[in-house]
Amino acid sequence: MKITTLKSYEELSSTVANIVERQLKKQPLSKLALPTGSTPRGMYRELIKRELDWSHTITFNLDVYLMNVNHPESYQSYMKKNLFDRTNIYPDHCHFPFRPTSAFEDKIAGSMGIDLCILGIGSNGHIAFNEPGSSFLSRTRVMDLTEQTIVDNSRFFDDVGDVPTQAITMGLGTIMESKKIVLMANGDHKLNILNVAMNGEVTEEVPASVLQNHDSVKVFYCD
Ligand code: F6R
């Protein structure tokens, strides 16, 4: 698969923001699947600057930690701070995975599916929180986070012991039903896993490798 290397984090952020902007302008009633984490922050900043009309847009976050949603590091807090509170999107249109997870799946299906899914990638090849070994057919479910993910994400918390150990994540099967997918990766520590996932063996041990089976995926990287 082609990996497009961009010159800077700013270019990565504006390139993916351009894709989101085009989607919202072409189809105001778009359903987006959205990531959190450090990689997409710049893209969200770009989108806010552009003052787009989000009033018809529906969002589904890829994953949430199982934790108090009011905690500053919850993904609900992240989305409010980085996007939702700074656009005209309706809070009722913003969905996060919840239990029963089948009801979250029903919400996606009831909205006629995801038009554009933006992904990051974890250092172990996870997408959303589908950790290595996740079935390619998996649906939204509770996932135990791996030690690697907990350590990677401890940078957002005071102590590694404060990092939630479980999350609710969209499944790989759910993600693969998106009409279009864009994966963004930032930092040379992601380059190896990105190459393995996009051009190595398609295996459940490398969850992002499932994207090789999708016919509309764009992959952007900057170091
Ligand atoms: C978070 C998510 C995760 C992250 C991945 C990379 O919603 O879906 O898969 O995209 O863990 O995180 P960062 O961007 O912090 O390196």
Side-chain angles (χ1 to χ4, degrees):
M1 284 174 80
K2 183 168 166 224
I3 299 173
T4 302
T5 300
L6 300 168
K7 285 193 295 291
S8 62
Y9 181 66
E10 287 66 36
E11 197 184 356
L12 175 73
S13 301
S14 60
T15 300
V16 182
N18 289 345
I19 294 172
V20 175
E21 176 170 0
R22 273 201 301 275
Q23 176 70 36
L24 296 192
K25 288 192 166 153
K26 195 177 88 195
Q27 189 185 332
L29 209 165
S30 284
K31 285 88 60 186
L32 307 181
L34 296 176
T36 56
S38 50
T39 311
R41 277 186 209 273
M43 171 198 65
Y44 290 135
R45 270 198 301 273
E46 261 303 310
L47 286 169
I48 288 160
K49 268 200 285 184
R50 297 178 189 193
E51 299 187 353
L52 305 173
D53 180 10
W54 290 78
S55 62
H56 299 283
T57 308
I58 295 176
T59 64
F60 294 94
N61 266 80
L62 292 166
D63 45 16
V64 286
Y65 287 127
L66 274 178
M67 71 187 304
N68 176 355
V69 300
N70 297 317
H71 188 286
E73 290 304 330
S74 77
Y75 286 171
Q76 290 88 344
S77 301
Y78 173 107
M79 290 306 297
K80 277 166 74 70
K81 192 167 61 200
N82 286 288
L83 186 72
F84 297 156
D85 283 356
R86 301 162 75 187
T87 65
N88 67 341
I89 196 163
Y90 286 106
D92 286 357
H93 289 181
C94 305
H95 306 292
F96 292 89
F98 61 88
R99 289 184 284 191
T101 54
S102 58
F104 179 69
E105 288 278 338
D106 289 346
K107 255 200 192 309
I108 297 175
S111 77
M112 306 300 285
I114 291 161
D115 299 299
L116 174 64
C117 173
I118 312 292
L119 297 172
I121 183 169
S123 63
N124 62 2
H126 71 222
I127 48 176
F129 272 139
N130 292 282
E131 297 284 33
S134 294
S135 163
F136 283 171
L137 301 176
S138 53
R139 313 301 305 184
T140 304
R141 68 206 184 287
V142 174
M143 188 86 221
D144 290 332
L145 301 178
T146 60
E147 198 54 42
Q148 177 74 57
T149 298
I150 292 170
V151 170
D152 285 351
N153 287 3
S154 64
R155 67 191 192 280
F156 300 111
F157 293 83
D158 291 338
D159 186 90
V160 67
D162 297 338
V163 184
T165 56
Q166 288 190 308
I168 312 179
T169 183
M170 264 188 211
L172 295 173
T174 322
I175 289 170
M176 287 292 283
E177 285 168 10
S178 307
K179 294 184 186 77
K180 285 174 281 180
I181 298 179
V182 173
L183 185 142
M184 52 194 316
N186 168 221
D188 49 16
H189 62 295
K190 296 277 179 80
L191 188 55
N192 183 49
I193 189 65
L194 194 60
N195 278 319
V196 168
M198 298 307 139
N199 295 310
E201 187 192 347
V202 176
T203 163
E204 290 177 349
E205 287 315 307
V206 183
S209 68
V210 73
L211 299 175
Q212 294 187 42
N213 295 336
H214 195 285
D215 61 9
S216 179
V217 181
K218 290 194 169 99
V219 181
F220 297 103
Y221 166 79
C222 74
D223 59 16

